Amino acid sequence: MWTMSRNGTNADVVMDGVPCKRMKVEAVDPVSPLNFDSPEALFESLISPIKTETFFKEYWEQRPLLIQRDDPSLAAYFQSLFQLTDLKHLCRQGMYYGRDINVCRCVNGRKKVLNKSSKVHYLQLRKDFDQKRATIQFHQPQRFKDELWKIQEKLECFFGSLVGSNVYITPSESQGLPPHYDDIEVFILQLEGKKHWRLYQPTVPLAREYNVEPEDKIGAPTHEFTLKPGDLLYFPRGTIHQADTPPGLAHSTHVTISTYQNNSWGDFLLDVIPGLLFDTAKKEIKFRTGIPRQLLMQVDDTAVSTERLSGFLRLLADQLEGTRDLRSSEMKKDFIRSRLPPYYLGDGSSLSIPDGRYPKLNSKVKLRFKDYIVMTVETDKDTSGEIQEQMVYIYHSLRNKRNAHMMFGNDNEMAEALGLRFSLSYMDALKQLWSSEIISVKELKLNTDAEKENLVLALWTECLVEVI
């Protein structure tokens, strides 16, 4: 079934957003109709009047959702997120084709890229836009537009997954991309003008990769509609789609907000199985026996391999059921080191030195920035001897660089996750801090007072604990 809401008046949108300190004053700055009180409040105000519970029960990973709202304040706010006129200022900051901007057009069902191999010059960009009817795709605008940064870092807290975005600006009677599907959950916010959309039945539900689909093979659209400013469209990964700007308009601008790339159960298994297999092999001699001679040289080794591997997997499943803590470290680290820093912290420089009172044994403390921290159990990276000890690592994103967000693969090296390392004996005390609103340092489950003080001092130094 297809759901369409046309009753998005002011009453349907939460109007008590909390103002935060901004890095700079932008030309258009309407009061936000979104609720930034919490990640949950933001998401529900973004999809209003649909409730979050309804969304995840009926739409998430299942079918598209179109929300059309006749709300001038919301339309004005969406327009402030990104406009065609922003490009002139952004080009002066040093934008490059491929890294920051793509220029393309769909011609006879194929994507034609018009990029130059150089720095983007605004006059040339407008020439391609006006004369060649090309679409301008701006990569990851949250690096430069504060309000998108504010939205996306809250959504990263809400989803527990990276949230990227791209802006698409398309002239009248033009189309930028051919029919295709993506490996991301997609939220479209219409910012300027109108965009005509056609959605088709997935050929690969919940796809794991991007793919172009020939128009003569995708059949008739399952949904067809036109978005206007203030409207929102959601569709699951794998949904085949194409969009064009109708005639009679100057242009269309929309932002695609995306999440849940490589965030499936399959990806999670790939992350946790190596650690589980390593631990099981230490306990079970079956896993340490050698494979048959010349097994790797055989052309057809399925008979022997399948039988033995099936037995190993059943044993692994038994081990998994008795495991208290899964060692999912790579997915957690990739997320925490790649995500946006908290909006109101700028580039994180204000958190390089802790403030507030120094924690002591008699202090009551509270964990700060819980949504921006992950805890993992890993082999001690600094161990040079034969015995490799398991340690608890605390990673955080407080000092991540906003201008590098979602830019890996574009000559940007992946930053190392920032954080702390503790003995495995600190695990219970750390879990206490996670689960308690406020806790006395003396109550922490550690053997000595010195350990209790050292733990909170280390977290305080990283600005992760405050004294109440």
Side-chain angles (χ1 to χ4, degrees), residues 375-376 390-394 420-424 427 430:
M375 180 165 57
T376 71
Q390 296 294 299
M391 305 288 286
V392 182
Y393 284 81
I394 303 295
L420 299 165
R421 180 188 62 174
F422 300 98
S423 167
L424 205 58
M427 174 68 85
L430 287 164

Side-chain angles (χ1 to χ4, degrees), residues 7 180 191:
N7 299 317
H180 67 281
L191 309 184

Side-chain angles (χ1 to χ4, degrees), residues 276-288 315 318-320 322-323:
L276 178 66
L277 182 58
F278 181 82
D279 292 340
T280 304
K282 289 196 295 184
K283 295 184 289 185
E284 297 286 344
I285 192 172
K286 293 179 182 179
F287 284 79
R288 302 197 301 272
L315 184 55
D318 293 338
Q319 292 290 325
L320 184 60
T323 299

Side-chain angles (χ1 to χ4, degrees), residues 184-210:
I184 50 177
E185 298 296 302
V186 171
F187 295 86
I188 304 291
L189 310 184
Q190 186 66 26
L191 309 184
E192 295 183 307
K194 295 180 180 181
K195 202 71 176 279
H196 170 238
W197 285 83
R198 286 170 285 174
L199 308 184
Y200 303 81
Q201 189 70 27
T203 54
V204 183
L206 302 182
R208 290 182 54 84
E209 58 187 1
Y210 168 91

